[in-house]
């Protein structure tokens, strides 16, 4: 990945071993071993949204094509905006909230209201890198209050006349239309967003996105011809949704307790990623790499490694169904 285009979630983490443990092959299943039917109830699709339909309409289309009842998207795109629309299906919708805090990347065309020299445009755009303040646009569904957002990078790719092709990496909740208006105001010429494409959500990029038609064809190949190759390449496992957050690996005996709503205790931890700070959202996974829960850490990585007892994280969202692993905790 180009070092110029890094989001906060791109930090490299190492997995630290706290204790050794083995998993029972009779319970749970590695995501990579799931059947197509299981993926249809616990996977996600990186949809390349076309211009025109709303994000809700795209999700409805996915449900209709895959003949499923439950699906949801990870971050609304306006009807005219194209690009990455992560769409979870079945039980994987439980993990969608992990994308709400993920950084986003967009490529767009900003239309200036008069021609400005490239050097000045680049200079002003550089001024917007870092923390900025925005007021949501009038048509926004959220309350119009001043809010702080981070711009991680803002590159001017090309300037042609009064049109500026740009790439921006930003914090979730940043309004690109508002950003263009603010840049135009600072350039003292006025500007508006002409076209926009989302190219990335966390670690999910446009390079492995699929069109709605490709998804339909893949489903038909599987349903009518029994060919799994295409549908397997289109439906990704739920754990891919959580690539950008740190992981905490737990032993089999601790899994069902979390599924029943318990907070995470240190004795159940086998491995932990580096870089976790108090308050961070983390994904708890099994020894088979299955998503178990989302938690808010009460301790840093170092504290989790050093301590032998006590709670280390508060439960935020259960991802796995109860009974997937035995309820050993009830016997103790």
């Amino acid at each position: 990945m180009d070092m110029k285009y890094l989001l906060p979630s791109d930090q490299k983490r190492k997995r630290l071993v706290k204790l050794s443990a083995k998993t029972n092959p009779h319970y749970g299943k590695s995501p990579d071993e799931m059947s197509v039917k299981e993926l249809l109830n616990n996977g996600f699709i990186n949809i390349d949204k076309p211009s025109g339909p709303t994000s809700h309409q795209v999700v409805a289309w996915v449900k209709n094509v895959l003949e499923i009842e439950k699906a949801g998207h990870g971050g609304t795109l306006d009807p005219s905006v194209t690009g990455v629309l992560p769409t979870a299906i079945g039980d994987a919708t439980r993990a969608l909230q992990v994308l709400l805090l993920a950084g986003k990347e967009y490529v767009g065309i900003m239309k200036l209201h008069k021609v400005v020299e490239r050097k000045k445009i680049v200079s002003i755009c550089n001024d917007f890198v870092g923390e900025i303040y925005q007021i949501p646009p009038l048509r926004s569904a959220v309350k119009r209050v001043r809010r702080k957002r981070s711009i991680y990078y803002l590159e001017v790719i090309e300037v042609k006349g009064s049109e500026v092709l740009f790439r921006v990496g930003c914090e979730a909740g940043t309004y690109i239309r508002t950003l263009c208006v603010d840049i135009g105001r600072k350039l003292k010429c006025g500007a508006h967003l002409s076209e926009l494409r989302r190219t990335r959500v966390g670690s999910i990029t446009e390079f492995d996105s699929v069109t709605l038609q490709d998804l339909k064809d893949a489903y038909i190949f599987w349903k009518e011809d029994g060919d799994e190759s295409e549908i397997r390449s289109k439906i990704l496992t739920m754990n891919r949704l959580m690539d950008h957050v740190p992981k905490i690996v737990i032993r089999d005996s601790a899994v069902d307790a979390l599924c029943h709503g318990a907070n995470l205790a240190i004795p159940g931890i086998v491995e932990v990623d580096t870089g976790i700070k108090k308050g961070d959202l983390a994904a708890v996974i099994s020894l088979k790499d299955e998503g178990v829960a989302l938690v808010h850490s009460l301790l840093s990585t170092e504290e989790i490694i050093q301590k032998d007892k006590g709670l280390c994280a508060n439960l935020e969202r259960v991802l796995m169904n109860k009974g997937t692993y035995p309820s050993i905790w009830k016997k103790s």
Side-chain angles (χ1 to χ4, degrees), residues 194-310:
S194 175
E195 292 183 39
L196 190 65
R197 176 174 176 81
R198 185 158 68 189
T199 53
R200 187 176 171 200
V201 176
S203 62
I204 303 167
T205 74
E206 65 175 338
F207 298 113
D208 57 2
S209 62
V210 300
T211 66
L212 293 168
Q213 187 60 55
D214 285 344
L215 179 65
K216 181 176 182 179
D217 290 343
Y219 185 74
I220 291 174
F221 291 153
W222 171 67
K223 194 76 172 179
E224 297 184 0
D225 303 331
D227 182 356
E228 295 186 354
S229 58
E230 287 298 315
I231 194 69
R232 283 188 175 278
S233 71
K234 305 296 184 289
I235 303 180
L236 307 174
T237 57
M238 179 179 69
N239 55 348
R240 276 291 311 278
L241 287 171
M242 304 181 289
D243 276 353
H244 63 287
V245 296
K247 310 295 189 302
I248 300 174
V249 185
I250 60 174
R251 60 173 83 216
D252 287 4
S253 58
V255 172
D256 200 59
L258 265 73
C259 293
H260 278 80
N263 291 321
L264 180 60
I266 288 178
I269 296 174
V270 176
E271 301 173 359
V272 59
D273 280 357
T274 57
I276 296 177
K277 301 185 295 294
K278 184 177 179 180
D280 280 356
L281 182 70
V284 178
I285 62 176
S286 71
L287 285 162
K288 297 184 184 71
D289 207 29
E290 306 153 287
V292 178
L294 300 176
V295 297
H296 282 287
S297 183
L298 299 171
L299 306 171
S300 67
T301 295
E302 293 74 20
E303 291 172 320
I304 294 172
I305 290 293
Q306 292 167 4
K307 293 179 179 289
D308 296 321
K309 59 183 179 179

Side-chain angles (χ1 to χ4, degrees), residues 69-293:
E69 295 183 358
K70 188 163 56 174
H73 63 77
T76 302
L77 290 177
D78 288 347
S80 63
V81 179
T82 66
V84 174
L85 184 69
T87 303
I89 53 180
D91 291 341
T93 53
R94 300 170 184 172
L96 277 174
Q97 74 180 82
V98 81
L99 296 179
L100 297 180
L101 300 178
K104 312 293 193 295
E105 182 187 84
Y106 299 87
V107 171
I109 296 176
M110 176 171 58
K111 176 73 172 177
L112 306 182
H113 297 169
K114 70 176 184 180
V115 176
V116 179
E117 63 174 4
R118 178 189 173 93
K119 184 177 179 181
K120 185 176 182 181
I121 297 169
V122 171
S123 176
I124 292 299
C125 285
N126 286 339
D127 290 343
F128 280 82
V129 176
E131 291 186 344
I132 64 169
Y133 288 89
Q134 289 190 324
I135 296 177
L138 281 170
R139 63 177 180 176
S140 171
V142 301
K143 188 176 181 181
R144 297 191 74 239
V145 294
R146 194 164 179 256
R147 54 184 64 194
K148 184 168 67 176
R149 289 293 181 265
S150 292
I151 303 296
Y152 306 122
Y153 51 85
L154 178 51
E155 179 199 15
V156 175
I157 301 172
E158 184 180 353
V159 178
K160 187 174 182 180
S162 60
E163 292 186 325
V164 180
L165 178 65
F166 67 92
R167 184 197 322 273
V168 59
C170 56
E171 182 180 357
T174 303
Y175 290 93
I176 308 303
R177 294 184 189 279
T178 301
L179 177 64
C180 289
V181 170
D182 291 343
I183 291 173
R185 185 178 294 117
K186 195 161 184 180
L187 283 168
K188 297 180 180 179
C189 69
H192 65 271
L193 180 67
S194 175
E195 292 183 39
L196 190 65
R197 176 174 176 81
R198 185 158 68 189
T199 53
R200 187 176 171 200
V201 176
S203 62
I204 303 167
T205 74
E206 65 175 338
F207 298 113
D208 57 2
S209 62
V210 300
T211 66
L212 293 168
Q213 187 60 55
D214 285 344
L215 179 65
K216 181 176 182 179
D217 290 343
Y219 185 74
I220 291 174
F221 291 153
W222 171 67
K223 194 76 172 179
E224 297 184 0
D225 303 331
D227 182 356
E228 295 186 354
S229 58
E230 287 298 315
I231 194 69
R232 283 188 175 278
S233 71
K234 305 296 184 289
I235 303 180
L236 307 174
T237 57
M238 179 179 69
N239 55 348
R240 276 291 311 278
L241 287 171
M242 304 181 289
D243 276 353
H244 63 287
V245 296
K247 310 295 189 302
I248 300 174
V249 185
I250 60 174
R251 60 173 83 216
D252 287 4
S253 58
V255 172
D256 200 59
L258 265 73
C259 293
H260 278 80
N263 291 321
L264 180 60
I266 288 178
I269 296 174
V270 176
E271 301 173 359
V272 59
D273 280 357
T274 57
I276 296 177
K277 301 185 295 294
K278 184 177 179 180
D280 280 356
L281 182 70
V284 178
I285 62 176
S286 71
L287 285 162
K288 297 184 184 71
D289 207 29
E290 306 153 287
V292 178

